[in-house]
């Protein structure tokens, strides 16, 4: 959630409504962010902080040994049911709640290693075995752990290490026979089997495994821009009084060319639906997996074996290295504030982390940037700006004259005109404060004030300049005070920036059943981040670029031919293929504070009555399209049928509910029932919806999934080809949506052994997906594997007999 929880929002807005009119006016008309922060902070009372503390207490972020035992037992049940993925997730939750160097954490690591072994994650399994031993895994259980280690090493083609592990295991048997006779016999049999495997491996020539997946293959810029780090030399930076900063092509750019590759300056994992502490003891701990359970909280890498923070149960990382980096840079401050940050929302968390990361640049410059002269209002500002200039609502210092001889031509650039991909660039993102409502500004200011109070109360050296973010000794006095106020204003600025400048980091998530052979995916938001270079791109409802992510790295590729001199554009969300011009413009105006005048919007404005469009209704008698506003009339030449729009909309909603019910049956494996419902929906849709309606495509796609699950590949392909037609009409033949649908069709043809059709579809899917993702994409790699397999199956042509 971007903003604070609903209870805190309602509380603060109620507080605002009860303020005297004069105070509301003072806050609403404040000329600087410093004024806004100080006035709002002064209104934060102890009872407000107590209410916030009670809300924060609803989140479980501390260590709890009882939770560790609970999750381990739940994981054991999943393991016994051979649900190894579910078991691994529950063991990970147990690890997070266990203290270091405890029996609890060692048992959870060991059990998770067993689940990972069955999932074929042998390298990760070995790491968990080492972790279990490091944390004091019981000596009496060591033999089975060593045996698992030997099996992993054999499978990974490391026979020498496996032999040494077996020697250690046999020595352990001889020195301390801690097993019962039956257990010993079972282990002996397994050990003999492993020995045979080791010998077989030794007799084979040594083959070094290929390097692990080159995650960033194909992601390097051909030639990096000297003035814009992380951008291609094919673009340049411009500024306009109305449009602000933007990127322009310096030459013709072909589809698929990489234009930007940038690591986020700051990112915060989206917590998802983190449940509040339930009142029922039976459901005290949540067993559902969230994004926070499956992704590193620093680099966002997907992981089944996270390493937890030693101080809290919330933060988890893909490795010890990531955990240490996070701790050194920001988590040592955030760790004790986890519940509060979940309560105050992702925007507040990003604002805090941005200021914490600023400390790792040139500290003197950062403090000068924020503190400046401290003359008029005692606030930290950039040294070349007056308080009114740099913190003036919505100006951010852009285009304003200074008293200095040297003036930066474009905000965010250094004196040589080079765009700085650092805190200076983040600081110069516009907060658009003049456009935010007084209530929203008050909510942000009070939330940041509450966070600052907690930082001070916790005695954290969050913003000292020695870059040692550790807790103060009990005898020391917190050294925050005025300096914390400076950073509080900076955090408020960042929180206000985020509505217009935050970038959602997304990932492709599997949504179908685990048994499905055909991919059923959706794009989900994984994190919220700030990218200095990506933020330079303006919006279009029909963009000429495609944005994708690997972890915290954003890549922007040309999705079509971009001529020299054209602006580089991407979509902020409202796309012409997903909504009409009125809805798009309303969304952009409410969130980004501008009226879109991109070519699609201008075209649609000029011909508002151009026809019923793709989401049209059609006549149930003659099947011609219906036209009109409140009452729709048949467009057929000989038909006089008419019907009210409300009736058709109600019918569409009923159909969508039926489709949803069928999809639920499909996910739960009730295939025949799902197909029966979907065929009924298909018949109903044909009677009143256009053939290009998105719901028609949704029904065909679901039918394809159902028949694929039954192994009826021919029917599956037929329905998926109908779905493809709808996708092409809505998104275009070269769209990323088309690429994903072609990928599914390729899987259907592949599984159905339709070799020519599969190879043809693989070629089409590769062509589209390469433009949007480059060669490192998982789907492209899967397509290449399918193609290689199919080419091996093709018969070798035999020449004519002589």
């Amino acid at each position: 959630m971007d903003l604070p929880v609903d209870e805190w929002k309602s509380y603060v807005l109620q507080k605002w409504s009860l303020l005297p009119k004069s105070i509301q006016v003072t806050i609403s008309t404040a000329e600087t962010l410093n004024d806004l922060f100080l006035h709002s902070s002064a209104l934060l009372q102890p009872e407000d902080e107590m209410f916030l503390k009670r809300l924060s207490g609803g989140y479980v972020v501390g260590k709890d040994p009882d939770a560790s035992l609970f999750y381990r037992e739940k994981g054991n049940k999943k393991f016994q049911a051979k649900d190894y993925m579910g078991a691994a997730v529950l063991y990970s939750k147990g690890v997070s709640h266990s203290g270091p160097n405890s029996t609890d954490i060692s048992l959870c690591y060991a059990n998770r290693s067993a689940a990972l072994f069955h999932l074929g994650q042998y390298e990760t399994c070995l790491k968990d075995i080492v972790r279990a031993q490091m944390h004091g895994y019981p000596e009496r259980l060591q033999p089975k752990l060593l045996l698992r280690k030997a099996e992993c090493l054999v499978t990974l083609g490391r026979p020498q290490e496996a032999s040494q592990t077996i020697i250690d295991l046999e020595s352990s048997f001889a020195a301390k026979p801690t097993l019962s006779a039956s257990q010993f016999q079972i282990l002996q049999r397994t050990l003999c089997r492993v020995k045979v495997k080791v010998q077989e491996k030794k007799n084979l020539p040594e083959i070094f495994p290929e390097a692990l997946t080159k995650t960033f293959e194909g992601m390097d810029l051909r030639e990096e821009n000297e003035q814009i780090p992380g951008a291609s030399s094919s673009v340049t930076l411009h500024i306009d009084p109305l449009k602000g900063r933007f990127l322009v092509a310096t030459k013709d750019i072909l589809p698929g060319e990489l234009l930007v590759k940038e690591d986020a300056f700051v990112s915060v994992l989206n917590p998802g639906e983190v449940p509040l502490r339930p009142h029922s003891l039976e459901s005290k701990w949540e067993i559902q997996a969230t994004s926070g359970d499956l992704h590193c909280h620093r680099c966002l890498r997907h992981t089944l074996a996270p390493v937890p923070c030693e101080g809290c149960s919330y933060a988890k990382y893909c490795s010890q290295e990531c955990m240490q980096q996070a701790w050194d840079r920001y988590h040592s401050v955030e760790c004790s504030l986890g519940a509060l940050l979940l309560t105050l929302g992702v925007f507040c968390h990003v604002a805090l982390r941005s200021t914490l990361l600023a400390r790792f640049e040139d500290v003197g410059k950062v403090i000068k940037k924020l503190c400046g002269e401290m003359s008029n209002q005692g606030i930290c500002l950039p040294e070349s700006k007056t308080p009114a200039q740099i913190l003036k609502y919505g100006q951010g210092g852009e285009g304003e004259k200074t008293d200095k001889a040297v003036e930066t031509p474009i905000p965010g650039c250094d004196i040589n005109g080079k765009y700085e991909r650092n805190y200076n660039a983040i600081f110069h993102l516009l907060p658009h404060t003049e456009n935010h409502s007084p209530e929203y500004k008050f909510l942000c200011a009070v939330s940041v004030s509450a966070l600052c109070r907690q930082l001070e109360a916790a005695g954290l050296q969050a913003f000292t300049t020695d870059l040692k973010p550790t807790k103060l000794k009990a005898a020391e006095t917190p050294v925050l005070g005025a300096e914390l106020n400076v950073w509080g204003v900076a955090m408020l600025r960042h929180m206000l920036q985020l509505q217009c400048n935050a970038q959602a980091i997304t990932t492709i998530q599997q949504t179908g059943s685990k048994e499905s052979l055909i991919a059923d995916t959706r794009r989900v938001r994984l994190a919220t981040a700030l990218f200095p270079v990506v933020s330079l791109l303006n919006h279009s409802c029909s963009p000429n670029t495609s944005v994708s992510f690997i972890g915290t790295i954003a890549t922007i590729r040309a999705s079509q031919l971009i001529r020299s001199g054209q602006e580089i554009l991407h979509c902020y969300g409202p796309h012409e293929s997903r909504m009409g011009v009125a809805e798009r413009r309303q969304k952009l105006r409410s969130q980004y504070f501008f009226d879109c005048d991109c070519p699609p919007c201008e075209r649609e404005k000029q011909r508002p009555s151009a026809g019923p469009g793709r989401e049209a209704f059609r006549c149930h008698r003659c099947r011609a399209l219906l036209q009109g506003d409140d009452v729709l009339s048949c467009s057929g030449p000989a038909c006089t049928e008419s019907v009210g729009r409300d009736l058709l909309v109600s019918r569409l909603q009923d159909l969508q509910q039926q489709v949803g019910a069928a999809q639920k049956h499909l996910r739960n494996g009730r295939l025949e029932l799902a197909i029966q419902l979907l065929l009924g929906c298909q018949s109903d849709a044909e009677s009143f919806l256009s053939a290009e309606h998105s719901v028609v495509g949704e029904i065909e796609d679901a039918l394809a999934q159902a028949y694929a699950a039954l192994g009826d590949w021919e029917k599956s392909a037929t329905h998926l080809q109908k779905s493809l037609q709808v996708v092409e009409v809505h998104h275009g033949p070269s769209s990323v949506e088309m690429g994903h649908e072609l990928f599914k069709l390729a899987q259907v043809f592949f599984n159905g052994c339709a070799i020519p059709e599969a190879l043809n579809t693989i070629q089409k899917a590769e062509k589209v997906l390469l433009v949007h993702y480059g060669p490192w994409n998982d789907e492209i790699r899967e397509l290449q594997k399918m193609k290689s397999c199919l080419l091996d199956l093709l018969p070798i042509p035999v020449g004519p007999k002589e």
Side-chain angles (χ1 to χ4, degrees), residues 394-460:
Q395 298 303 309
E398 294 191 23
E400 296 181 19
K401 294 183 179 180
T402 71
D403 298 329
K404 300 290 181 180
V406 178
E407 183 179 1
T408 300
I410 299 180
C413 294
D414 63 17
I415 58 174
N416 298 313
K418 183 175 182 178
Y419 188 69
E420 298 179 290
R421 199 167 45 137
N422 56 14
Y423 185 71
N424 182 45
I426 295 298
F427 189 84
H428 278 93
L429 295 175
L430 294 177
H432 293 282
T433 321
E434 78 283 6
N435 293 311
H436 292 297
S437 69
E439 294 85 353
Y440 182 78
K441 289 183 285 190
F442 184 66
L443 172 65
C444 293
V446 169
S447 297
V448 169
S449 299
L451 178 56
C452 288
R453 297 268 184 96
Q454 285 302 306
L455 284 167
E456 191 167 23
L460 295 170

Side-chain angles (χ1 to χ4, degrees), residues 701-720:
D701 188 84
L703 279 167
Q705 289 282 337
Y707 283 117
L710 289 174
D712 192 335
W713 304 110
E714 188 174 347
K715 282 187 178 179
S716 179
T718 299
H719 289 290
L720 204 49

Side-chain angles (χ1 to χ4, degrees), residues 212-229:
L212 296 176
T213 302
K214 296 178 182 178
T215 308
F216 302 115
E217 180 185 339
M219 284 185 62
D220 289 332
L221 296 163
R222 291 181 183 175
E223 185 178 348
E224 189 165 4
N225 197 305
E226 293 182 359
Q227 294 298 100
I228 315 170

